[in-house]
Amino acid sequence: MPRRKLPVIPTPRPPAPQGNVELVINEDHLDRVVRQGILSAKVSLDIATADFKAMLVPVRAGDRNARSIVAILRDLADRGVEIRLLHAGVPSSAALKELRRSLPRGLTIRRCARLHAKTVIVDAAAMYLGSANLTGAGLGAKAAGKRNFEIGIWTQSPPLIDGVLEQFNALWEGRKCDTCRRREICPVPLEEPKL
């Protein structure tokens, strides 16, 4: 008996990207995502990362002096940038120690145990979307032999940014919590760190 052909149901596609989309590979993450991205925020910074560590960032290329990403986020928040950091695990002990000193107004941190996405959205106008966590190994701040192999995109495409922001907001606001099947490990939906 011949196989019956099933009808082809078209899958809805997201809108085509508009604007520049550039590939970011390995150590290029430090310049593109951190120096040209995070450090340039004027209004808002939305970060999703599975892993959050107090990575040390050489602010300029070749600079021997490095600053902790927590100190950088604190400075941005003190200048009025609204920062939302959504991460999956417990921050590294160094990050927690720095955060305990003072959590500035304008820097809000939440934890979702199922989060695995990695994105940095700067002023809702530019975005990194890729594999790199907010760590030195991920964002290229470690020495050449200690960096992860990472890949992502940097874009100013409004439809892409809007789509990622919608997903980020759904997670941030807890709209996924009711249907989450891992509630047993997350007794407080979207827990904020106990500093």
Side-chain angles (χ1 to χ4, degrees):
M1 181 177 204
R3 281 190 140 168
R4 192 178 91 177
K5 275 194 148 187
L6 297 174
V8 176
I9 300 170
T11 304
R13 295 217 177 264
Q18 297 171 349
N20 190 27
V21 177
E22 92 185 53
L23 187 61
V24 182
I25 297 176
N26 300 330
E27 67 275 5
D28 295 340
H29 283 75
L30 184 59
D31 274 330
R32 174 42 91 193
V33 180
V34 180
R35 292 183 183 129
Q36 297 171 26
I38 291 173
L39 293 174
S40 74
K42 304 282 186 258
V43 177
S44 64
L45 192 56
D46 297 305
I47 301 171
T49 181
D51 198 7
F52 172 40
K53 294 183 178 177
M55 74 172 178
L56 295 175
V57 178
V59 177
R60 287 179 254 342
D63 197 351
R64 289 191 175 264
N65 297 322
R67 296 191 62 220
S68 160
I69 191 68
V70 176
I72 289 169
L73 294 176
R74 181 179 286 114
D75 288 351
L76 289 168
D78 287 344
R79 288 197 310 248
V81 176
E82 291 291 324
I83 303 169
R84 298 186 300 170
L85 174 60
L86 184 60
H87 67 99
V90 176
S92 69
S93 58
L96 281 173
K97 183 178 177 182
E98 269 195 81
L99 289 168
R100 283 187 180 116
R101 278 191 224 146
S102 69
L103 188 64
R105 237 177 96 194
L107 171 57
T108 309
I109 302 171
R110 291 191 176 158
R111 187 173 83 97
C112 171
R114 290 192 56 198
L115 179 73
H116 200 256
K118 289 93 174 171
T119 190
V120 174
I121 304 167
V122 180
D123 298 333
M127 173 181 72
Y128 167 75
L129 181 64
S131 62
N133 280 307
L134 193 62
T135 65
L139 288 173
K142 293 248 183 202
K146 297 181 178 182
R147 293 184 200 119
N148 295 342
F149 299 116
E150 304 283 4
I151 193 165
I153 61 163
W154 181 261
T155 185
Q156 294 175 330
S157 168
L160 286 177
I161 294 168
D162 290 349
V164 172
L165 267 174
E166 173 55 33
Q167 177 70 9
F168 184 98
N169 288 333
L171 295 170
W172 186 263
E173 296 163 5
R175 288 186 263 149
K176 304 277 186 185
C177 292
D178 288 342
T179 58
C180 177
R181 291 184 164 185
R182 300 205 54 203
R183 289 289 300 273
E184 73 281 357
I185 66 167
C186 185
V188 180
L190 292 172
E191 63 187 299
E192 296 187 14
K194 291 162 185 63
L195 304 173

